[in-house]
Amino acid sequence: MRLAIISFTLQGGRTAERLERGFKDLGHQSRAFSVQKLKIPLSKFVETAFRDEEGLVFVGAAGIAVRSIAPCLKGKDRDPAVIVVDELGNFAVSLLSGHLGGANELALAAASILGAQPVITTATDINHAFAVDLFAKKNELAIDDLKEAKEISAAVLRGEPVGFFSDFPVEGRIPEPLTEGVWRRKNIHVTCRSSDGNSAGFPGRGTSRLRLIPRAAVLGMGCRRGVSTAAVEEAARQMLSGSGFDERAVRMLASIELKRDEAALIELAAARGLLWNVFSAEELQKVDGSFAESEFVRGVTGVGNVCERAALAGAGMRGKKAVLAAGRRVFPSVTAAIAVEEITIRF
């Protein structure tokens, strides 16, 4: 975790140096700064830290921290972790982004380094209750609706049963009050599907569903040489919407080695924040399955199907089972398919 530590007094500077060393010993990239030695105003320092760092540690009064970060706040899914440590190192307070940003864990780490008292105020933590945002973070799941996540946390704290569904295998004991496979007023669904896609029998009326979305899908594509960026963008959009996949579920764009320098595919991957991977014809030929083969494509590329085989090859790169979830569709100058890696959801 990239951390910036800012202190305001001589004693605070000593505590900041202890934290810097301790965090480095724990594997974090930490740097300590003294406000007296800053070459920019504190407000600019905090603004930069919010943009560039994963965590910000104030060694001083909580009021200074609150006033400093207030103009920078964007949302719990975007703000970095912020903690406050008093200058004597007696208390380590989780102030902002306790779960998604990791401030609770950071406060616990700071307390361990200093022999301090950690101060965690998150309701689910102090009540030792299931926290949907922390569960999502640990399983690398995107939260579809933060407001609904907050309402589910409130339901959990009331002891209200919450339905739990997963399109992927689940490992570990599902905690109360989650009820697996039973629709309740509030529900959690781990799925790559969009709200219009497979809903696992979601009844809809009188109930709500929070989708937690794993990045487990791979978009495989084949295309003509020199295809336009607009054509591959439109093919990707139609492929995902037409097969009911949430765009956030896709982690990789895959194709054949011949397309390694295909500008439109490279631009698509960059624009969507996807890994870009290509496979040789020999690697694609070894992919198991029944595919829609084309003799024309075989003559050009050495393999009868690029998009389906590439999607499966990409989804299987981490050694887990891969399933072709949406077979080849043909678009102008582009073919596309989607495969899904069978990840394990852990409690």
Side-chain angles (χ1 to χ4, degrees):
M1 197 174 191
R2 297 187 309 276
L3 304 173
I5 308 166
I6 182 70
S7 62
F8 301 88
T9 65
L10 182 61
Q11 178 59 52
R14 297 191 186 103
T15 300
E17 290 172 0
R18 290 174 62 195
L19 286 170
E20 180 183 38
R21 292 192 298 268
F23 284 134
K24 285 181 178 177
D25 288 343
L26 293 174
H28 298 293
Q29 302 174 37
S30 58
R31 295 180 296 165
F33 301 87
S34 169
V35 72
Q36 289 86 0
K37 296 181 179 180
L38 291 180
K39 296 181 180 179
I40 56 176
L42 177 61
S43 59
K44 185 64 177 178
F45 173 85
V46 173
E47 179 186 339
T48 302
F50 253 64
R51 183 185 66 238
D52 298 339
E53 310 294 344
E54 296 171 296
L56 181 56
V57 181
F58 286 85
V59 181
I64 296 176
V66 170
R67 292 187 182 92
S68 297
I69 67 175
C72 305
L73 301 181
K74 295 180 180 178
K76 65 184 298 182
D77 58 336
R78 291 183 288 170
D79 295 332
V82 179
I83 71 170
V84 178
V85 176
D86 66 282
E87 67 174 37
L88 295 178
N90 292 320
F91 299 95
V93 184
S94 175
L95 190 64
L96 183 71
S97 295
H99 284 163
L100 294 182
N104 289 358
E105 293 179 359
L106 191 62
L108 291 171
S112 177
I113 292 167
L114 300 172
Q117 174 66 49
V119 180
I120 309 295
T121 59
T122 315
T124 49
D125 288 81
I126 63 175
N127 286 281
H128 305 289
F130 170 76
V132 65
D133 50 357
L134 187 57
F135 168 75
K137 180 183 178 181
K138 289 183 175 179
N139 282 279
E140 299 181 340
L141 309 172
I143 298 175
D144 179 51
D145 186 335
L146 288 173
K147 181 181 178 182
E148 184 64 23
K150 183 178 180 179
E151 291 180 3
I152 284 179
S153 292
V156 167
L157 290 170
R158 291 194 300 268
E160 178 182 332
V162 173
F164 179 80
F165 299 83
S166 176
D167 295 348
F168 299 88
V170 175
E171 184 178 277
R173 186 180 68 85
I174 298 177
E176 295 181 350
L178 271 57
T179 57
E180 186 176 17
V182 180
W183 289 106
R184 304 290 190 177
R185 188 179 70 88
K186 295 290 183 183
N187 302 276
I188 297 168
H189 187 189
V190 181
T191 181
C192 287
R193 300 288 180 172
S194 67
S195 56
D196 297 325
N198 180 5
S199 60
F202 179 52
R205 182 175 298 177
T207 62
S208 62
R209 175 183 57 148
L210 173 66
R211 289 184 303 119
L212 302 180
I213 306 159
R215 296 196 79 190
V218 174
L219 177 63
M221 277 191 160
C223 64
R224 292 181 180 175
R225 175 62 65 183
V227 66
S228 70
T229 300
V232 296
E233 282 279 5
E234 181 61 17
R237 187 191 66 79
Q238 289 191 34
M239 186 68 204
L240 291 168
S241 62
S243 54
F245 270 81
D246 192 294
E247 294 186 1
R248 290 165 292 185
V250 183
R251 67 177 178 86
M252 179 188 295
L253 177 64
S255 191
I256 193 168
E257 175 70 33
L258 286 172
K259 300 299 177 182
R260 176 180 291 278
D261 61 350
E262 192 70 56
L265 295 180
I266 294 170
E267 290 172 12
L268 175 66
R272 291 178 175 259
L274 305 178
L275 297 173
W276 165 236
N277 223 308
V278 294
F279 302 90
S280 68
E282 292 76 14
E283 289 173 317
L284 294 184
Q285 195 63 50
K286 292 177 182 178
V287 176
D288 291 331
S290 177
F291 305 105
E293 302 284 334
S294 164
E295 290 305 316
F296 173 76
V297 173
R298 189 188 309 278
V300 174
T301 67
V303 62
N305 180 298
V306 170
C307 62
E308 292 179 340
R309 290 178 180 272
L312 281 168
M317 283 184 68
R318 296 192 284 197
K320 298 178 183 177
K321 181 181 178 182
V323 178
L324 189 64
R328 185 183 72 165
R329 287 188 61 188
V330 179
F331 304 94
S333 302
V334 180
T335 60
I338 300 172
V340 174
E341 174 188 7
E342 192 172 89
I343 62 172
T344 300
I345 303 301
R346 293 182 170 84
F347 281 95

